[in-house]
Amino acid sequence: MENVETQFLDSKSFPRILEDIDTFIFDADGVLWLGESVMPGSPALVDFLLKKGKTVIVLTNNATKSRAVYSEKLAKLGYNKQIGKNNIVNPAAVVADTLHRSGLTRDKKVYLIGTQGIKDELDDLGIQYFGDGPDPVENHHDGKTAFIYDLELEEDVDDVGAVVVGYERHFNYIKLMKAANYLKDESCLFVATNEDETCPGPNPNTVIPDAGPLVGAVKIASGREPVVVGKPNTPAFEYICRRWEINPQRTMMIGDRTNTDVKFGKDHGLKTCLVLSGCHQVEDIVDNHENDRHDMIPHFYAKNLGSLVETGEFAVKKDAKELSAHLLEKITLAEEPYAPQPRRTVYY
């Protein structure tokens, strides 16, 4: 079994790795903010990095808003004004860029299952779309039969060059049926924003389905595999590489999910750090180790971003030894039991 080392980071150990990192890529939900509230201490960490001359990029899998709107949100939550639209990457922007670079002609339209964020980015590149918003079943079916056997499509199949699927609260059987019928044409592109199963929110007891279940439904109904642009997939990485001259070996991805943020980083040669302020916790790292999912085991982990800088109340309160003891109850090394290590290191 491969031994994978995950080092605990706090305000004392974090500065020691800075000289090896030029660029920091942050997830947003569960890292910089949670819902509409700022994640305490995160603005201080961003300020600290900017003062050190580091490049800061925000990479979110949330396509519900455009980069311009996310820039406004960051400012409203108290983040440094240096972090603006040009520092943000989201699936909406990558989707629009992907369609634009695919050579989608102006006489072709996009059937869109998505929200305003995608619409704004498509508008910026002059890409035509339709289908967004409510499309009630009652407008298409009288309820006399269990299945809907005929469906009138707004646009001829030959005039639709792509189907784009992201999160949309209006998603229903009609939209699923339309997407599957447009995708019968093999020349029609199938592009998805992301495949996140759920989205973090302020109420931990409420499951909030994200775009993943919607994308999964269209995949099964159409029998087609989409180009997924969000983390952990390569289109988002290539988009970043085209905009910034990053050195992957000197770049760190920080996020709250092992299956998107950590996997994205490890698949593309970045250093990775899981913060425990959002979806995934230490138990998830342990589970990934036990199931040999080494591409989802981070190089580092931390309580939250605020714990990485000396900011008083946001400094980490739980000692690394306590977290290590928690792991000790669950795992051992391949050849010998786990023992607490110097330099606050946890071994898997």
Side-chain angles (χ1 to χ4, degrees), residues 20-282:
D20 297 324
I21 303 172
D22 300 322
T23 303
F24 287 84
I25 304 176
F26 293 101
D27 179 40
D29 297 304
V31 179
L32 301 178
W33 61 66
L34 191 61
E36 297 305 313
S37 300
V38 67
M39 195 66 73
S42 293
L45 187 275
V46 172
D47 284 342
F48 174 76
L49 295 177
L50 292 174
K51 289 177 182 177
K52 293 289 185 180
K54 307 299 182 181
T55 298
V56 173
I57 300 169
V58 178
L59 173 61
T60 174
N61 262 8
N62 192 326
T64 61
K65 298 178 178 66
S66 67
R67 290 170 296 154
V69 174
Y70 279 127
S71 176
E72 294 173 1
K73 181 173 183 176
L74 285 168
K76 182 180 178 181
L77 294 177
Y79 283 92
N80 196 301
K81 289 183 171 54
Q82 292 183 48
I83 307 303
K85 175 182 176 180
N86 292 331
N87 298 85
I88 300 170
V89 179
N90 76 337
V94 184
V95 162
D97 180 71
T98 298
L99 294 176
H100 182 71
R101 295 175 64 252
S102 74
L104 188 71
T105 58
R106 288 191 174 272
D107 61 339
K108 295 280 188 177
K109 296 182 179 180
V110 173
Y111 178 64
L112 173 62
I113 297 173
T115 53
Q116 190 64 44
I118 304 176
K119 292 163 63 176
D120 289 344
E121 299 290 351
L122 293 177
D123 286 339
D124 283 350
L125 294 180
I127 297 173
Q128 299 182 74
Y129 55 86
F130 68 101
D132 57 294
D135 194 359
V137 174
E138 293 75 18
N139 292 353
H140 301 271
H141 186 48
D142 58 13
K144 294 181 179 179
T145 58
F147 287 91
I148 301 173
Y149 295 108
D150 293 299
L151 183 67
E152 183 176 348
L153 299 173
E154 298 98 310
E155 300 288 341
D156 188 273
V157 172
D158 293 335
D159 295 329
V160 178
V163 170
V164 171
V165 181
Y167 167 78
E168 186 189 75
R169 62 178 178 269
H170 303 296
F171 182 75
N172 62 11
Y173 190 81
I174 293 298
K175 288 176 176 280
L176 173 62
M177 196 170 178
K178 288 182 177 181
N181 278 276
Y182 284 127
L183 288 170
K184 288 192 304 182
D185 181 355
E186 293 185 0
S187 67
C188 182
L189 301 175
F190 181 14
V191 183
T193 57
N194 61 296
E195 292 185 300
D196 293 38
E197 298 90 349
T198 59
C199 179
N203 185 353
N205 296 319
T206 300
V207 175
I208 308 172
D210 205 318
L214 282 62
V215 174
V218 176
K219 284 170 60 174
I220 294 173
S222 67
R224 296 274 302 273
E225 286 293 327
V227 174
V228 184
V229 304
K231 296 171 293 184
N233 300 286
T234 297
F237 178 71
E238 292 177 339
Y239 182 89
I240 288 173
C241 290
R242 286 194 297 271
R243 296 190 60 190
W244 292 275
E245 294 182 359
I246 68 166
N247 178 348
Q249 294 180 340
R250 296 184 60 83
T251 300
M252 175 176 280
M253 176 73 220
I254 301 181
D256 69 318
R257 300 179 66 109
T258 62
N259 62 334
T260 55
D261 302 312
V262 173
K263 182 171 172 54
F264 173 81
K266 298 197 83 170
D267 283 354
H268 299 101
L270 316 180
K271 294 179 174 65
T272 57
C273 178
L274 180 76
V275 286
L276 309 180
S277 53
C279 285
H280 290 160
Q281 302 299 311
V282 170

